[in-house]
Amino acid sequence: MGSFEEIVIRTDRIDFPALAVGSGPIVVCWHGFPDHPESFGPLAERLVGAGRRVVAPFLRGHHPSTLDQLAFGDGLTLAADAAAVHAALSDEPLDVIGHDIGAGVAGRLAAVWPERVRRVVTMSVPPPAALRTIFEDPAQQQRFFYVFMFQIPGLAEGLLNATLIDYLWRTWSPGLSVPSYVQELYADPAVRANALKLYRANFDRSLHDPALSSLASVSEKPASLPMLVLAGADDGCITPDKYADAATGLAPGSRVEIVAGAGHFLQLDRPDEVAALALDWFR
């Protein structure tokens, strides 16, 4: 596989920088936190080998060219971005893989704009419609300490640093070290501020785009399209038991697969297994 090239996807919302490689039917891959599109590299190598083109956009506010373009941080804003990217890439519906925050992007995209989606794979976060009770578990609240810490102005800005990012990676995917490209991305204070905005939007409705508010009732319901939901058996962020009720947030025909030997960053921990599952789902 050739290395990723950086491209710009011009949409009716903003221009999205993305990493792209390969030729053939497109798979759009959305990254999460604290992460970078380049983490899809090993998975992309396998998808390209199977005749696919992989396009991995930077989330809004996570590239130098979009740092000042994250007025709102809600999940619908990111899903609307994904719909615009898909429309700009093809007149036909596209396959999509979403990891972490990107899993929410893919799930809400499928719920609100199903005409833009062919097949959906999400990784490491249960579907949006099945997340309502996740905060009720005290053990999960402990694992989500950073979510709550990020709500505190001043404290969060000081503690979202290289040490915390390294800790999250090591805790979420045991044995996996944070890649240099992730540390370099989050070395920028503006990127860190935008990441905090995404998490604060979970609780602060002033960070929700009012132009999209009419879609909120749809975006949090199960998508009409079946989804393949992947979780790592050793995920230290959201443990596999949190997917027991995933079916309540999924359309008939969906599947949940727990990937043995994988932590939170499945695309790096077990790229062979993830690629095989995704390609089978796309077929």
Side-chain angles (χ1 to χ4, degrees), residues 167-242:
Y167 172 81
L168 294 177
W169 271 72
R170 287 187 292 104
T171 304
W172 291 357
S173 271
L176 194 64
S177 299
V178 57
S180 59
Y181 52 78
V182 171
Q183 289 287 27
E184 290 166 7
L185 177 65
Y186 286 89
D188 189 330
V191 172
R192 297 197 300 272
N194 284 335
L196 291 175
K197 186 175 288 186
L198 298 186
Y199 280 93
R200 288 170 177 167
N202 290 322
F203 303 96
D204 182 354
R205 297 198 63 83
S206 72
L207 295 175
H208 291 214
D209 185 352
L212 299 172
S213 62
S214 63
L215 304 175
S217 61
V218 179
S219 67
E220 304 312 302
K221 292 180 178 178
S224 59
L225 301 173
M227 297 197 295
L228 173 64
V229 177
L230 304 181
D234 302 321
D235 192 335
C237 178
I238 301 177
T239 50
D241 58 292
K242 294 296 171 289

Side-chain angles (χ1 to χ4, degrees), residues 28 36 40 50 78 101 114 137-138 145 173-174 206 235 269 280:
V28 184
H36 186 290
F40 286 110
L78 302 183
I101 287 175
D137 176 20
F145 76 93
S173 271
S206 72
D235 192 335
D269 288 324
D280 179 66

Side-chain angles (χ1 to χ4, degrees), residues 2 30 35 47 51 60 74 81 87 103 115 124 126 139 163 166 180-182 203-204 212 218 223 227 245 248 250 282:
W30 291 96
D35 209 355
L47 297 178
R60 179 191 289 256
D74 57 303
D81 288 347
E115 71 279 5
S124 304
T163 301
D166 179 67
S180 59
Y181 52 78
V182 171
F203 303 96
D204 182 354
L212 299 172
V218 179
M227 297 197 295
D245 296 328
T248 63
L250 294 167
F282 294 155

Side-chain angles (χ1 to χ4, degrees), residues 244-267:
D245 296 328
T248 63
L250 294 167
S254 299
R255 276 181 25 224
V256 177
E257 293 280 349
I258 308 300
V259 181
H264 190 72
F265 299 95
L266 290 89
Q267 66 272 41

Side-chain angles (χ1 to χ4, degrees), residues 1-8 17-23 26-31 35-48 52-58 97 181 267-268:
M1 180 194 84
S3 59
F4 277 125
E5 62 169 334
E6 186 167 316
I7 63 172
V8 176
L19 302 184
V21 65
S23 60
I26 294 172
V27 182
V28 184
C29 297
W30 291 96
H31 71 88
D35 209 355
H36 186 290
E38 195 167 334
S39 289
F40 286 110
L43 179 59
E45 181 175 0
R46 289 149 177 84
L47 297 178
V48 169
R52 307 303 296 262
R53 176 168 173 79
V54 174
V55 178
F58 287 82
I97 297 174
Y181 52 78
Q267 66 272 41
L268 291 173

Side-chain angles (χ1 to χ4, degrees), residues 57-193:
F58 287 82
L59 290 175
R60 179 191 289 256
H62 286 68
H63 184 276
S65 67
T66 66
L67 290 177
D68 61 351
Q69 299 186 62
L70 189 69
F72 304 103
D74 57 303
L76 259 174
T77 287
L78 302 183
D81 288 347
V85 165
H86 281 222
L89 289 172
S90 175
D91 294 331
E92 300 296 323
L94 299 176
D95 293 327
V96 59
I97 297 174
H99 174 253
D100 190 80
I101 287 175
V105 173
R108 292 181 177 93
L109 168 66
V112 183
W113 294 277
E115 71 279 5
R116 295 293 176 202
V117 180
R118 180 178 170 272
R119 297 288 266 173
V120 186
V121 178
T122 66
M123 300 191 291
S124 304
V125 175
L131 285 173
R132 296 185 184 91
T133 62
I134 198 168
F135 285 97
E136 296 176 1
D137 176 20
Q140 187 60 51
Q141 291 172 17
Q142 286 185 312
R143 289 188 288 270
F144 275 171
F145 76 93
Y146 63 98
V147 175
F148 304 114
M149 184 183 76
F150 287 171
Q151 309 307 313
I152 306 173
L155 177 69
E157 284 77 4
L159 292 180
L160 178 48
N161 54 30
T163 301
L164 176 64
I165 290 171
D166 179 67
Y167 172 81
L168 294 177
W169 271 72
R170 287 187 292 104
T171 304
W172 291 357
S173 271
L176 194 64
S177 299
V178 57
S180 59
Y181 52 78
V182 171
Q183 289 287 27
E184 290 166 7
L185 177 65
Y186 286 89
D188 189 330
V191 172
R192 297 197 300 272

